[in-house]
Amino acid sequence: MALTHIVLLGPPGAGKGTQAKQIIEKLGVVHLSTGDILRDEVGRETELGTTAKGFMDRGELVPDQLIIDMIRGRIEAASSGFLLDGFPRTTAQAEALSQFATIDVVLNITLHRDEVVRRLTGRRVCRSCGKIYNLTFNLKEGQTACEACGGELYQRDDDKTDVIENRYDVYETSTAPLIEYYTKQNVLRTLDGSLGSERVFAEIIDILTA
Ligand code: AP5
């Protein structure tokens, strides 16, 4: 039987969102991306979105308690299983998560800083369906619309070089300690995110269905 309580860990641009879309199609678990939920709150100009926007635009983390309050109910409601993408991101978030959910596996996707910057400056995202593209390998010259739904492709506000560098620093300081945290719990599996996305996906499915 496949593992269904899954965490995706890794630096910005490692491919968490790209892999998540394929994993949920294959396993039927709920995709819970704190970044996507926050961007939706920002777009709707809610109180949470207005508070979060400044942190996100600077590439800093949104305060732990706001994130935990935002995600807890969604995780508890995911009776067919969940794929957490971008959460937990600090030890405090991981400890809070352990109070209300068990985790089967943490998929730690690695990627060096230089490649993170290269990928994220070239990322474009569909405003309607969220499909993720990259100028270097799957966008045609001059393409501005999503091939899946025709939606407008845009560049995220935090995909500017200086903000990307800050996000990577924040990852190293605040999130990378979770590698040791989950290694000690015997649930961490590491994947080389510099490989092609089909190869990474195949390795993930092997882990989840072994
Ligand atoms: P979030 O949206 O979670 O961003 P992130 O973790 O920085 O991750 P990204 O979405 O940038 O990258 P990804 O790993 O999903 O890569 P992708 O698949 O798109 O968070 C944004 C902000 O929200 C944070 O900075 C923070 O402010 C706030 N936030 C969110 N969660 C929070 C939390 N828990 N606590 C506090 N604050 C929080 O791929 C990137 C590019 O590479 C794409 O162009 C893709 O096409 C390409 N690509 C993917 N895989 C491959 C491959 N194998 N080979 C070549 N190219 C590839």
Side-chain angles (χ1 to χ4, degrees), residues 100-112:
F100 57 86
T102 54
I103 299 302
D104 297 330
V105 65
V106 175
L107 301 169
N108 173 39
I109 307 180
T110 61
L111 197 65
H112 286 292

Side-chain angles (χ1 to χ4, degrees), residues 133-148:
Y133 293 88
N134 200 285
L135 292 177
T136 59
F137 73 93
N138 63 357
L139 264 184
K140 298 183 195 88
E141 181 81 28
Q143 184 181 341
T144 56
C146 175
E147 65 190 13

Side-chain angles (χ1 to χ4, degrees), residues 99-197:
Q99 302 298 307
F100 57 86
T102 54
I103 299 302
D104 297 330
V105 65
V106 175
L107 301 169
N108 173 39
I109 307 180
T110 61
L111 197 65
H112 286 292
R113 181 187 288 261
D114 291 351
E115 180 62 10
V116 164
V117 175
R118 196 181 71 81
R119 279 191 191 175
L120 291 186
T121 48
R123 174 167 60 185
R124 298 293 181 270
V125 184
C126 174
R127 219 178 266 289
S128 300
C129 72
K131 188 170 164 65
I132 301 166
Y133 293 88
N134 200 285
L135 292 177
T136 59
F137 73 93
N138 63 357
L139 264 184
K140 298 183 195 88
E141 181 81 28
Q143 184 181 341
T144 56
C146 175
E147 65 190 13
C149 74
E152 179 202 1
L153 301 184
Y154 80 106
Q155 183 172 29
R156 271 172 45 175
D157 288 342
D158 58 352
D159 279 351
K160 310 278 156 51
T161 308
D162 55 331
V163 182
I164 295 167
E165 295 278 4
N166 194 36
R167 286 162 61 200
Y168 199 93
D169 290 343
V170 168
Y171 162 77
E172 286 191 316
T173 309
S174 301
T175 308
L178 293 180
I179 295 172
E180 190 183 344
Y181 179 92
Y182 283 119
T183 299
K184 282 186 181 153
Q185 296 185 13
N186 241 348
V187 289
L188 192 98
R189 301 293 299 268
T190 294
L191 299 120
D192 179 356
S194 70
L195 300 173
S197 76

Side-chain angles (χ1 to χ4, degrees), residues 10-19 33-36 38-39 55-56 59-64 67 85-89 93 115 119-120 122-124 132-134 137-138 156 158-159 167 193-197 200:
K16 302 181 297 295
T18 300
Q19 295 301 327
S33 158
T34 41
D36 287 350
L38 287 168
R39 279 183 288 280
F55 293 99
M56 296 172 77
E60 294 167 8
L61 295 182
V62 175
D64 286 332
I67 296 290
D85 168 4
F87 177 86
R89 236 174 167 105
Q93 291 181 18
E115 180 62 10
R119 279 191 191 175
L120 291 186
R123 174 167 60 185
R124 298 293 181 270
I132 301 166
Y133 293 88
N134 200 285
F137 73 93
N138 63 357
R156 271 172 45 175
D158 58 352
D159 279 351
R167 286 162 61 200
S194 70
L195 300 173
S197 76
V200 177

